[in-house]
Amino acid sequence: MAALEDTNSTNFLGGQLIAAVGRDGNEQMFPLAWAVVKGENNESYEWFFKQLKMSIGEEDGHGMTIISDQHQSIVTMVAQEFPRAEHRHCARHIFANWHKTYKGEYMKMMFWSCVKAYNEADFTDALETLKEADPKAAEAFLACNPTLFCRAFISNHTQNDVIVSNMSETFNAYIINARSKHLIYMLEDIRTSIMKRLVEKKMDMEGSTHVVCPRVQERLEIEEDKASTCKVLPSKPTLFQVQDGIDGLTVDLEARTCTCKKWDLTGIPCSHAVSAIFSIHGHAEDYVSDHYYRYRL
């Protein structure tokens, strides 16, 4: 299932517009539910999450990933209504608070190096670099609980490496004109806009000639370009040792894993996996997770 994200925006008549925005197979916005409530409080979020739960037919959140800011009402309601869901915290919100104290482009780079590392070894290396630059900054980073927002620690069951709630900003930008209207007209404008969008996206996908969704194809082509620098040594028909610069990695095509963990987390073959696939004259598209295909196989 695509990652689920939460967003909010204020309506000029008062109250709060809150929404749950999913991510489709083309890695684009797929709004699931939206509603106007009194405010961002436990009562409003409890009502919204119960309605969302009934709408999507989820019982306990198993197989679901939710990304949100650290608003306590959201944290509480996710634990209450979707106890088995993976709840990631938005790294961008955490960075905004952390960066108020530890400023500068270098510190920014160090933060995101830690956050974007796909495996624990790379995370540890990035964290050590941060500690050398500023031990207190590293201590503050660890206090934010990296297991909730760093790629090295998030689950791969949804095969999505998203660690920011950028879909909420996409949804807010999409409805910006509607938000200036009277409540009833605003909601109707959002409904018809989303209805039209779903049809247009479906038509776009039907017009594509790729096996997988276009945006995923673009990501795959980037990995294919990187694969040219890798050296492949077969160990078994589906098991390979891949040398990428000074790094030696193991790729298992049958298990669809690579020790870099990027393929495991995204469902899209990394450059190491692509190099192994090419060595047996295979097609990288055949090894993409099936929820990225234009049509279910």
Side-chain angles (χ1 to χ4, degrees):
M1 182 176 179
L4 183 72
E5 301 172 336
D6 298 274
T7 182
N8 63 79
S9 57
T10 305
N11 179 266
F12 81 102
L13 291 175
Q16 202 80 8
L17 175 66
I18 59 177
V21 186
R23 182 178 291 261
D24 65 19
N26 196 37
E27 301 193 316
Q28 290 183 292
M29 174 184 73
F30 190 94
L32 297 173
W34 55 93
V36 176
V37 296
K38 292 181 180 179
E40 290 189 282
N41 52 51
N42 287 340
E43 181 182 5
S44 294
Y45 275 112
E46 181 174 16
W47 174 85
F48 180 77
F49 271 85
K50 287 183 181 297
Q51 301 304 311
L52 175 63
K53 188 175 182 178
M54 288 190 294
S55 298
I56 63 178
E58 280 289 341
E59 294 184 359
D60 57 10
H62 178 64
M64 178 189 293
T65 294
I66 296 175
I67 305 176
S68 73
D69 60 22
Q70 296 173 292
H71 195 290
Q72 189 55 50
S73 293
I74 298 178
V75 174
T76 300
M77 288 307 115
V78 170
Q80 176 180 303
E81 300 298 330
F82 301 111
R84 297 185 65 189
E86 178 191 26
H87 191 182
R88 303 176 189 174
H89 291 174
C90 175
R92 184 174 52 78
H93 286 85
I94 294 171
F95 169 74
N97 290 326
W98 181 85
H99 199 52
K100 290 176 183 177
T101 303
Y102 307 102
K103 304 179 184 297
E105 286 300 311
Y106 185 70
M107 299 306 290
K108 176 181 178 180
M109 182 185 69
M110 288 296 95
F111 178 94
W112 289 108
S113 292
C114 293
V115 169
K116 292 181 178 181
Y118 279 96
N119 56 73
E120 291 189 40
D122 289 344
F123 170 83
T124 300
D125 289 344
L127 183 61
E128 286 300 318
T129 303
L130 178 59
K131 285 180 180 178
E132 292 174 4
D134 189 330
K136 290 185 177 180
E139 184 178 341
F141 178 87
L142 291 172
C144 297
N145 194 354
T147 61
L148 297 176
F149 65 94
C150 290
R151 283 177 175 163
F153 304 105
I154 60 179
S155 170
N156 62 12
H157 70 271
T158 53
Q159 301 209 304
N160 195 301
D161 63 351
V162 176
I163 47 176
V164 295
S165 57
N166 59 327
M167 286 296 159
S168 60
E169 281 72 28
T170 301
F171 181 72
N172 275 331
Y174 189 76
I175 65 169
I176 191 167
N177 292 328
R179 286 165 53 188
S180 64
K181 298 179 180 180
H182 185 277
L183 181 63
I184 299 299
Y185 294 112
M186 178 191 73
L187 291 173
E188 180 63 9
D189 197 348
I190 294 174
R191 183 189 69 81
T192 55
S193 295
I194 296 301
M195 181 174 67
K196 179 182 176 183
R197 174 186 170 84
L198 292 177
V199 173
E200 290 175 344
K201 293 302 177 185
K202 184 175 186 296
M203 293 175 65
D204 288 344
M205 208 56 56
E206 290 175 345
S208 174
T209 58
H210 297 297
V211 175
V212 297
C213 294
R215 290 195 173 194
V216 176
Q217 182 66 39
E218 291 176 5
R219 291 184 63 173
L220 190 58
E221 289 172 358
I222 292 173
E223 299 300 334
E224 290 175 347
D225 289 340
K226 293 179 182 177
S228 62
T229 63
C230 297
K231 296 181 180 180
V232 182
L233 292 174
S235 174
K236 294 180 180 180
T238 60
L239 190 65
F240 302 84
Q241 177 183 319
V242 178
Q243 196 69 31
D244 183 9
I246 63 172
D247 296 325
L249 305 105
T250 300
V251 172
D252 188 330
L253 296 184
E254 184 175 9
R256 299 196 174 196
T257 65
C258 176
T259 48
C260 79
K261 297 299 182 183
K262 188 174 184 180
W263 187 12
D264 307 54
L265 189 57
T266 64
I268 303 170
C270 59
S271 58
H272 316 115
V274 171
S275 65
I277 293 166
F278 284 174
S279 74
I280 59 171
H281 308 292
H283 300 285
E285 289 82 359
D286 294 338
Y287 293 85
V288 174
S289 180
D290 64 359
H291 60 253
Y292 290 126
Y293 281 80
R294 292 196 300 119
Y295 296 99
R296 288 287 185 181
L297 298 180

